[in-house]
Amino acid sequence: MARKFFVGGNWKCNGTVEEVKKIVTTLSEAEVPSEDVVEVVIGPPFVFLPLVKTLLRRDFSIAAQNCWVRKGGAFTGEVSAEMLVNLGIPWVILGHSERRLLLNESNDFVADKVAYALSQGLKVIACVGETLEQRESGSTMALVAAQTKAIAEQVMHWSNVVLAYEPVWAIGTGKVATPAQAQEVHFELRKWLHVNVGAEVAASTRIIYGGSVNGANCKELAAQPDVDGFLVGGASLKPEFIDIIKSATVKTTAKSE
């Protein structure tokens, strides 16, 4: 089953109005593969969502970087899934390692968020990944499987879920999982889905890689059979993000050969 390449840009807590306009202008002027080849989703901070939605080219989508675990109400500082739907924001990033580590979001809490966002009609980029200590202790797959299992126990339909494997030790550090390391975890994740969720879900669910992806390493990573795209951090604020989007053609070239 063909899986459309997916490139997400997570701007994290960055940007001013002027900077956002400049980035969006760069994206709008770029020549990139068609929507048939690559799905591009941009994740600006909450305060810039309406501005980016107004300015962004129509063939790119928008994601929020988080949302609350249930319906809105007396939850100061939070943003509900319903609010995002009301704004016309189709995607949300949930379970990012920074939220798991800095804000102590547990596997179950992330899974609850994923389930609620999906129930409100949002599409979800659900993040999993291990720390350096966990990798060095050989527990990468046990940890990533536990994170995925919590989500799988709450999700009935996977068509609106993209899994993002993000080795925490490679986020913003300049260290990158080698293509072989990325492929190994993606392969094992897909195998886990096959055994525990079903063959169709395993074949169709996109598993994307996040962790210091840049214009120099994206093509080699994109060439891996189980790497279906990227969730890009710092590089999504730079012109090289265009090169990362263009790496989708590695897949189409491989299919035609």
Side-chain angles (χ1 to χ4, degrees):
M1 186 182 295
R3 297 183 296 270
K4 188 192 294 187
F5 205 76
F6 185 101
V7 178
N10 177 11
W11 292 3
K12 305 190 180 183
C13 187
N14 291 295
T16 62
V17 169
E18 293 72 24
E19 289 166 347
V20 166
K21 287 180 177 177
K22 186 176 179 182
I23 294 166
V24 173
T25 297
T26 300
L27 292 174
S28 296
E29 293 173 351
E31 289 187 21
V32 297
S34 74
E35 291 176 271
D36 295 333
V37 174
V38 60
E39 184 170 7
V40 181
V41 177
I42 306 299
F46 282 127
V47 293
F48 298 128
L49 285 172
L51 175 64
V52 175
K53 186 176 187 296
T54 301
L55 300 177
L56 192 66
R57 55 195 290 169
R58 296 298 107 186
D59 54 337
F60 288 7
S61 286
I62 304 179
Q65 296 177 17
N66 181 46
C67 68
W68 183 232
V69 69
R70 59 181 68 89
K71 190 174 181 180
F75 307 106
T76 300
E78 291 296 333
V79 173
S80 71
E82 289 88 348
M83 290 174 182
L84 297 178
V85 171
N86 183 248
L87 274 181
I89 307 300
W91 286 90
V92 64
I93 302 168
L94 295 173
H96 193 281
S97 64
E98 290 156 3
R99 298 198 64 87
R100 290 179 184 268
L101 294 172
L102 299 176
L103 298 165
N104 297 315
E105 293 193 0
S106 68
N107 292 351
D108 288 341
F109 187 65
V110 171
D112 286 343
K113 280 186 165 186
V114 171
Y116 191 76
L118 290 170
S119 77
Q120 297 307 303
L122 291 172
K123 294 182 273 192
V124 175
I125 302 167
C127 304
V128 299
E130 84 284 14
T131 64
L132 183 60
E133 293 76 18
Q134 289 159 340
R135 171 164 279 273
E136 289 179 341
S137 70
S139 57
T140 292
M141 273 320 299
L143 184 107
V144 172
Q147 293 171 335
T148 308
K149 179 175 183 285
I151 294 167
E153 287 174 346
Q154 297 251 32
V155 173
M156 301 305 296
H157 304 288
W158 285 76
S159 56
N160 286 332
V161 179
V162 170
L163 270 184
Y165 167 59
E166 298 195 308
V168 180
W169 47 272
I171 297 174
T173 62
K175 295 180 180 177
V176 186
T178 64
Q181 285 174 319
Q183 167 60 20
E184 179 186 22
V185 177
H186 283 230
F187 174 81
E188 292 295 335
L189 260 176
R190 201 173 303 285
K191 188 166 78 173
W192 189 94
L193 288 173
H194 189 282
V195 171
N196 295 281
V197 182
E200 187 176 338
V201 168
S204 61
T205 298
R206 289 173 290 183
I207 305 175
I208 62 177
Y209 172 77
S212 296
V213 178
N214 58 45
N217 59 35
C218 57
K219 284 187 177 179
E220 195 176 2
L221 286 161
Q224 304 306 307
D226 287 296
V227 174
D228 301 317
F230 305 114
L231 183 56
V232 185
S236 68
L237 298 162
K238 302 172 185 175
E240 69 184 301
F241 187 58
I242 306 303
D243 296 323
I244 298 171
I245 296 170
K246 288 179 177 178
S247 71
T249 57
V250 169
K251 294 292 194 198
T252 53
T253 303
K255 285 174 193 169
S256 61
E257 288 175 351

